Amino acid sequence: LRVSSARLLARFNRKPALADAPAAAELCFLAARIGATEAIPPLTDLAEREARRPTALPGGLTLYKRALQGLGGLLVDDPDPFKDERLLNVFEKGLGAPGCELICLTVLIAVWNDVEGQKFYAKLPAGYHLDEEALQTRLRIAGLGKNVAKAYAAHKTHGAGAD
């Protein structure tokens, strides 16, 4: 199932069809759910392609957002064998995509160990309101624990350079 989901995503990337977009979105979710690290390369390809022109899905989602969610879910579990400059760029670019900011910020902090979030927080779009509580919850779910989430929140509130 793991290999099959990766192959199906790769096939979708080679011949994307609008009619298949909802199924591809479900494959993104499935790949993350079953830990199909084999799907990281096709999910990365999909995220890069969708960043240019996101495909709308029913329910207000986009295939881009679903690809980022799937990719992030796989990376947070065991990032070291996979994290590289290409993936870093995928998630940094996602910081500027409406509706993808929190997903990307969570993955960037969790995977690239930017506990204080300074590097990535600065890349959020001007005027973006970060829901600190939602970020803390996502960081705990990502396995960073209460202390990291609290340290991040404390840094944003009382950290260096705060007035």
Side-chain angles (χ1 to χ4, degrees), residues 59-151:
L61 287 175
T62 64
L63 187 51
Y64 180 50
K65 184 174 183 177
R66 192 51 75 102
L68 290 171
Q69 288 171 326
L71 194 53
L74 288 168
L75 290 173
V76 167
D77 283 343
D78 187 19
D80 291 333
F82 307 104
K83 68 180 182 181
D84 61 17
E85 194 69 24
R86 182 178 177 206
L87 285 169
L88 177 64
N89 290 333
V90 164
F91 285 100
E92 283 184 332
K93 185 169 189 165
L95 286 172
C100 298
E101 302 94 344
L102 190 56
I103 295 163
C104 292
L105 187 60
T106 302
V107 173
L108 288 165
I109 291 169
V111 173
W112 279 272
N113 300 316
D114 184 28
V115 175
E116 294 176 350
Q118 289 182 327
K119 177 181 177 183
F120 303 119
Y121 187 82
K123 294 183 180 191
L124 287 166
Y128 175 75
H129 172 72
L130 178 62
D131 182 340
E132 295 283 349
E133 188 174 321
L135 179 62
Q136 289 179 46
T137 299
R138 286 176 181 253
L139 289 171
R140 281 193 299 273
I141 290 169
L144 295 180
K146 291 179 186 176
N147 292 337
V148 171
K150 284 181 182 176

Side-chain angles (χ1 to χ4, degrees), residues 19-77:
D20 293 335
E26 291 304 316
L27 278 172
C28 294
F29 176 78
L30 176 65
R33 184 83 169 126
I34 64 174
T37 55
E38 300 87 349
I40 288 176
L43 280 170
T44 304
D45 294 341
L46 181 61
E48 288 174 333
R49 190 187 78 237
E50 285 290 315
R52 293 186 291 273
R53 188 179 214 178
T55 303
L57 297 170
L61 287 175
T62 64
L63 187 51
Y64 180 50
K65 184 174 183 177
R66 192 51 75 102
L68 290 171
Q69 288 171 326
L71 194 53
L74 288 168
L75 290 173
V76 167
D77 283 343

